[in-house]
Amino acid sequence: MQPIAPSLRLPVFLIAALAAMLIGVLAFVGWAQHGSSIFLATAEGTLSWCM
């Protein structure tokens, strides 16, 4: 397997960075919309282990 040509490193890095940023934004939006439900489900699950 040959290494990626220097001229392709920047576009590949930018695409990877944009994909990571998109995943982060989608995760934040999901948390903003469903954060209270996530918290309550976690709390209920934790309390069920205590009882």
Side-chain angles (χ1 to χ4, degrees), residues 15-37:
I15 290 170
L18 287 174
M21 188 169 41
L22 178 63
I23 290 170
V25 167
L26 290 175
F28 179 76
V29 168
W31 173 78
Q33 289 179 351
H34 305 289
S36 60
S37 299

Side-chain angles (χ1 to χ4, degrees), residues 4-12:
I4 298 175
S7 62
L8 291 178
R9 284 186 183 163
L10 182 61
V12 169

